[in-house]
Amino acid sequence: MEFLFIPFVVMSAPVLIVLILLRYRYLQTQARYRTLMQLADKGVELPPQLLVEPAVAYSERRRALVLISIGLGLMATLLALPVQLDSGRSIGSLWGLGLLPLMSGLGYLASWWLNRRDGRHD
């Protein structure tokens, strides 16, 4: 039974984190709407910028740095682990799996660099 419990806990942790974040954003939105409704009920003129949903800033540079870090971390982790596979090879031979996020991050970084306008840095 223990052999099922540990993988379940490990696999459910990211799902739980996502659910907590979604609930937090939902409660934030509900509080915002309640405040707007209270202001409207009092007859206060609402400025148009309060009625627009806040936009998340899109940043290719931030996404690139995160992916590069994930790729390097994955490669370092796989190289550092002393675990042996069933075939007798070291798990360090799988270090190439970190190349996918690393190269994706480098692609985002190149896209950010090529799309800069007027010397502005996102």
Side-chain angles (χ1 to χ4, degrees):
M1 190 61 165
E2 299 87 29
F3 65 92
L4 289 177
F5 181 71
I6 293 174
F8 174 75
V9 169
V10 170
M11 297 302 281
S12 62
V15 173
L16 185 62
I17 291 169
V18 168
L19 289 175
I20 289 170
L21 288 174
L22 288 174
R23 175 144 172 86
Y24 173 74
R25 289 185 70 188
Y26 171 76
L27 291 175
Q28 238 182 357
T29 303
Q30 291 301 317
R32 183 174 174 270
Y33 286 141
R34 266 195 309 274
T35 303
L36 289 174
M37 289 300 291
Q38 288 172 353
L39 289 173
D41 286 342
K42 290 181 180 180
V44 174
E45 176 106 13
L46 298 175
Q49 58 267 29
L50 280 180
L51 301 176
V52 176
E53 286 290 325
V56 177
Y58 176 74
S59 176
E60 287 183 335
R61 183 177 56 180
R62 184 180 316 133
R63 183 173 289 154
L65 294 175
V66 168
L67 284 171
I68 290 169
S69 300
I70 289 171
L72 291 174
L74 183 60
M75 291 187 324
T77 300
L78 289 174
L79 286 172
L81 288 175
V83 179
Q84 297 288 325
L85 299 173
D86 290 336
S87 63
R89 291 177 35 201
S90 170
I91 201 165
S93 62
L94 298 174
W95 68 269
L97 291 174
L99 288 175
L100 179 62
L102 176 68
M103 291 300 156
S104 298
L106 289 175
Y108 273 114
L109 196 59
S111 174
W112 165 79
W113 186 74
L114 291 172
N115 289 326
R116 288 187 304 174
R117 294 187 182 100
D118 302 327
R120 190 185 98 213
H121 300 284
D122 292 329

